[in-house]
Amino acid sequence: MTAPNVQALSCQELVELVTDYLEEALPSEERERFERHLAECGNCQVYLAQMRTTIELTGELTPESLTPDAERELLEAFRGWRA
Amino acid sequence: METSPGESQLLKALRAREEAAFATLAREYHASLLRVAQIYVSSRAIGEEVVQETWEAVLKGIDRFEGRSSLKTWIFSILANKAKTRARRERRTIPFSEFEPTRVPEAALEPERFRSADDPRWPGHWAIPPEAWPEDKLLASETRQKLSQAIETLPPTQRAVISLRDIEGWSAEEVCNALDLTETNQRVLLHRARSKVRTALEGYIGEER
């Protein structure tokens, strides 16, 4: 077994960097370390995929909107302010 | 970020006091305004009042709006001011972790998920690795419900950030402006929110096996 690379990320560290990675906010050296670990770690690949899935599913949620009643009340108020 | 061409049309209609334009604006932003208001104030009811005051101020100020920022930014900055004022009147202190999350460390996952730092062979590696999620579970409508619920139980600022970024599709810059967050703090809030939501999904899908 080769000595652990002092520069290498652990899985626990990778998990904390996932958002920075997806936001493209990791400096290039850190991003390389991240991708190097990912290439060799099936578990972290699963984790990253789950994060992506979570984001995707969240994106499919319907944005909350005004109820018809709330909209009606707001428009009534609007008519008052407009006057 | 100046007013976009689309916004210019809307702006003209708003200045003409067209009801349809106001309805469009309200449908677009009302829910998000309420989410943000709830970061500052103690109840949804008070949040509703603050949002109402905001709409009034928007309409009354629309003629003076110069378009140097986007309409969205301007509306949300009015909201933030009104919400903060209201919070002060309520003598409500907001935990600093809400806007400065880096001051309070928080791990994405329970430490038991990983081998300890002094593990002789695999320090910091997975102890309990994630299991791949079956496709059919992901498509189930109950999964969406669980997702929604998980978001609703987040602390207010994390909830606002994940909603604005991942549901409403705002850019990081827009969220930073609306919530007066540094880039780093916005990312940390997003990270914590997404991590909790993923964990909730993992828990739910795990139960259903």
Side-chain angles (χ1 to χ4, degrees):
Chain A
M1 188 179 98
T2 53
N5 182 353
V6 154
Q7 296 293 322
L9 284 184
S10 71
C11 306
Q12 192 168 20
E13 287 169 321
L14 182 136
V15 161
E16 294 304 341
L17 292 177
V18 155
T19 303
D20 286 356
Y21 177 70
L22 293 172
E23 292 283 281
E24 296 180 353
L26 284 181
S28 57
E29 208 180 279
E30 193 103 55
R31 196 187 66 237
E32 276 171 35
R33 289 170 71 209
F34 187 100
E35 288 175 343
R36 218 176 304 139
H37 175 104
L38 204 59
E40 295 166 2
C41 184
N43 292 326
C44 284
Q45 285 170 24
V46 170
Y47 188 80
L48 181 61
Q50 287 179 355
M51 262 306 205
R52 286 197 161 113
T53 300
T54 302
I55 296 166
E56 209 181 289
L57 288 177
T58 306
E60 289 167 12
L61 290 176
T62 321
E64 215 188 306
S65 61
L66 281 179
T67 62
D69 279 346
E71 185 172 324
R72 201 173 339 183
E73 280 176 38
L74 201 51
L75 289 180
E76 273 175 35
F78 168 81
R79 289 174 205 131
W81 302 328
R82 174 179 58 179
Chain B
M1 255 186 316
E2 294 178 350
T3 308
S4 67
E7 277 191 346
S8 296
Q9 295 277 61
L10 190 57
L11 199 49
K12 231 191 308 193
L14 288 167
R15 289 194 171 124
R17 306 297 191 270
E18 286 174 27
E19 192 168 297
F22 182 68
T24 300
L25 202 62
R27 277 186 218 123
E28 177 75 28
Y29 296 134
H30 189 88
S32 296
L33 286 167
L34 186 54
R35 268 198 202 287
V36 173
Q38 286 182 92
I39 296 170
Y40 300 95
V41 301
S42 58
S43 74
R44 188 188 170 92
I46 295 180
E48 298 267 12
E49 284 176 32
V50 169
V51 175
Q52 190 89 336
E53 286 170 32
T54 301
W55 284 128
E56 186 174 357
V58 164
L59 190 61
K60 298 203 163 148
I62 199 84
D63 295 333
R64 280 173 279 122
F65 172 63
E66 289 173 31
R68 265 181 280 125
S69 69
S70 72
L71 192 56
K72 183 195 287 193
T73 302
W74 181 63
I75 293 171
F76 278 82
S77 68
I78 294 174
L79 174 91
N81 284 332
K82 293 204 174 283
K84 285 175 195 165
T85 302
R86 195 59 187 264
R88 271 197 301 271
R89 277 208 333 246
E90 290 190 289
R91 300 204 198 300
R92 188 160 181 267
T93 34
I94 298 155
F96 53 69
S97 56
E98 286 292 308
F99 290 99
E100 292 174 276
T102 51
R103 291 173 69 175
V104 181
E106 186 183 302
L109 290 175
E110 302 281 299
E112 300 79 53
R113 298 295 300 261
F114 301 100
R115 294 172 176 264
S116 73
D118 47 16
D119 183 282
R121 294 188 74 216
W122 307 110
H125 281 237
W126 290 96
I128 308 169
E131 289 179 39
W133 293 338
E135 192 67 35
D136 60 326
K137 289 287 174 300
L138 294 175
L139 297 172
S141 65
E142 255 204 9
T143 303
R144 256 151 252 278
Q145 272 176 44
K146 291 295 168 185
L147 191 59
S148 247
Q149 277 168 34
I151 292 172
E152 288 313 306
T153 58
L154 292 170
T157 318
Q158 288 180 31
R159 188 170 68 213
V161 172
I162 197 175
S163 301
L164 293 175
R165 288 296 313 274
D166 293 347
I167 303 177
E168 305 280 346
W170 289 28
S171 71
E173 192 185 349
E174 288 174 326
V175 174
C176 288
N177 286 336
L179 300 181
D180 199 18
L181 292 165
T182 63
E183 274 182 44
T184 302
N185 282 324
Q186 188 262 162
R187 251 195 325 272
V188 170
L189 289 165
L190 185 62
H191 178 69
R192 291 181 185 180
R194 285 176 175 172
S195 300
K196 288 194 185 76
V197 174
R198 190 216 65 93
T199 297
L201 269 182
E202 180 182 58
Y204 169 67
I205 291 169
E207 275 168 32
E208 297 292 301
R209 280 183 207 284

